[in-house]
């Protein structure tokens, strides 16, 4: 587990390195509204040399940027996610970022998927990102 203090957008590079060094391809992003989940995905996509416009997939459930898959379960249940066949998406090569994915953790464990969880906490004008293997 590592804690990374993020004071500006450039500091997200440290969190990006945490993801890349973890060798995990499924990443659960946990944090309140406005904590920076989508902003982190935007910076990760940029770091991979992809110029796509990144937006929250709140209503679409999934956005794809090259080999980066971005999910949002804010408006969906885990049952909806599974019923839509989204678990099978995790077999695709690339990174899979799941916003609001805390409820899916038990299914990931049950089906043998390894994942990295990143908790984002607001602390005055900064954010604390905690990478939990």
């Amino acid at each position: 587990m590592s804690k990374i203090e993020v004071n500006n957008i450039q500091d997200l590079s440290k969190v990006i390195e945490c993801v890349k060094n973890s060798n995990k391809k499924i990443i659960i992003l946990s944090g309140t509204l406005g904590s920076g989940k989508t902003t982190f995905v935007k910076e990760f996509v940029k770091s991979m040399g992809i110029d796509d416009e990144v937006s929250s997939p709140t209503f679409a459930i999934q956005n794809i940027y090259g080999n980066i898959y971005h999910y949002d379960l804010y408006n969906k249940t885990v049952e909806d996610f599974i019923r839509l066949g989204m678990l099978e998406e995790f077999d695709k090569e690339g990174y899979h970022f799941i916003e609001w994915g805390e409820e899916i953790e038990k299914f990931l464990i049950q089906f043998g998927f390894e994942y990295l969880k990143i908790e984002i906490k607001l602390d005055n004008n900064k954010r604390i990102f905690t990478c939990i293997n």
Side-chain angles (χ1 to χ4, degrees), residues 25-87:
K25 301 302 179 184
I26 299 172
I27 301 93
I28 294 176
L29 299 173
S30 177
T32 60
L33 280 172
S35 62
K37 296 180 293 293
T38 300
T39 299
F40 174 70
V41 174
K42 285 179 186 181
E43 291 303 306
F44 191 90
V45 168
K46 272 194 232 175
S47 80
M48 299 297 282
I50 300 169
D51 291 329
D52 292 355
E53 181 155 340
V54 174
S55 63
S56 177
T58 301
F59 299 104
I61 203 167
Q62 180 191 53
N63 290 339
I64 302 170
Y65 318 105
N67 67 341
I68 299 172
Y69 302 84
H70 186 195
Y71 311 89
D72 189 321
L73 296 180
Y74 185 74
N75 287 324
K76 299 286 184 204
T77 66
V78 173
E79 290 77 18
D80 291 335
F81 190 80
I82 292 169
R83 190 179 73 255
L84 291 168
M86 301 309 284
L87 276 182

Side-chain angles (χ1 to χ4, degrees), residues 1 16 42 51 78 103 116 121:
M1 180 168 80
I16 290 167
K42 285 179 186 181
D51 291 329
V78 173
E103 295 297 317
L116 173 69
K121 303 268 190 230

